[in-house]
Amino acid sequence: MAGEKIFDKTDLAILRILLQDARRTLQEIGAEVGLSPTSCWSRIKRLQDEGVIERYTIQVNPRSLGYHDTVIVQLTLESHTEDTLYAFGQVLATIPEILEAYLVSGDYDYYIRIAVRDTRDYERLLREKLYKIPGIRHSKSHFVLRVLKESKVPV
């Protein structure tokens, strides 16, 4: 594809290590990929400058904060104008329990992944937040029973 960057096996190895644990030291990463810490830092800096590495973050266990359930919601809107889609996305961004939201093709307009404490919490979220958003025509909810695989990006 045009515009796609080419990365060598060392770049990809560095990315895999950072995806697993971004707190690893340059010495540790360099030793694992066969580079000096300085060369390793140069590659990481280049990956940051090129926008491949967007940010460093932590991953929090949702259960430790009381969020024991995940719900996938499929939503269809009444209208599909650019203004409606934009406004809907802006409102979704204000609801902390919404972890991800995708505008999709097919029978539904959106797939939304929501973290909730339990079924009562989900009912509250629907009533107090989601269903107060104007323009929702139809929704369908699925509680996640078990996560079989979860990853960020194939490297």
Side-chain angles (χ1 to χ4, degrees):
M1 287 186 128
E4 232 176 72
K5 294 176 173 60
I6 305 293
F7 303 102
D8 66 18
K9 65 179 182 167
T10 304
D11 290 335
L12 295 175
I14 290 169
L15 290 172
R16 277 192 289 276
I17 292 166
L18 289 173
L19 280 167
Q20 289 240 313
D21 182 3
R23 291 176 27 149
R24 300 270 305 266
T25 67
L26 290 172
Q27 291 78 8
E28 292 170 333
I29 297 168
E32 198 165 320
V33 300
L35 293 176
S36 70
T38 303
S39 295
C40 187
W41 169 243
S42 295
R43 283 186 180 246
I44 291 171
K45 181 75 173 112
R46 179 179 50 78
L47 292 167
Q48 289 172 346
D49 292 344
E50 291 177 357
V52 177
I53 297 173
E54 295 180 331
R55 65 188 164 127
Y56 295 87
T57 185
I58 62 168
Q59 185 170 333
V60 176
N61 180 336
R63 289 180 152 303
S64 67
L65 298 175
Y67 294 99
H68 297 283
D69 289 312
T70 300
V71 183
I72 307 296
V73 180
Q74 298 168 287
L75 282 171
T76 301
L77 301 181
E78 293 286 345
S79 168
H80 298 96
T81 67
E82 194 62 39
D83 288 343
T84 301
L85 296 177
Y86 177 78
F88 186 73
Q90 292 296 107
V91 174
L92 291 183
T94 68
I95 302 172
E97 295 90 346
I98 295 179
L99 305 174
E100 296 171 309
Y102 300 99
L103 176 62
V104 298
S105 61
D107 294 335
Y108 289 88
D109 297 325
Y110 288 90
Y111 281 5
I112 301 170
R113 188 168 69 91
I114 300 174
V116 293
R117 298 179 188 287
D118 53 30
T119 55
R120 281 192 177 152
D121 189 38
Y122 180 58
E123 179 187 5
R124 177 205 51 80
L125 181 103
L126 283 177
R127 219 178 35 257
E128 295 176 7
K129 295 182 181 180
L130 205 55
Y131 287 163
K132 288 199 174 184
I133 303 172
I136 295 175
R137 179 174 10 132
H138 179 70
S139 71
K140 186 175 183 181
S141 301
H142 308 273
F143 271 78
V144 173
L145 301 177
R146 183 182 311 154
V147 176
L148 303 177
K149 181 180 180 189
E150 196 171 58
S151 60
K152 298 291 181 204
V153 65
V155 180

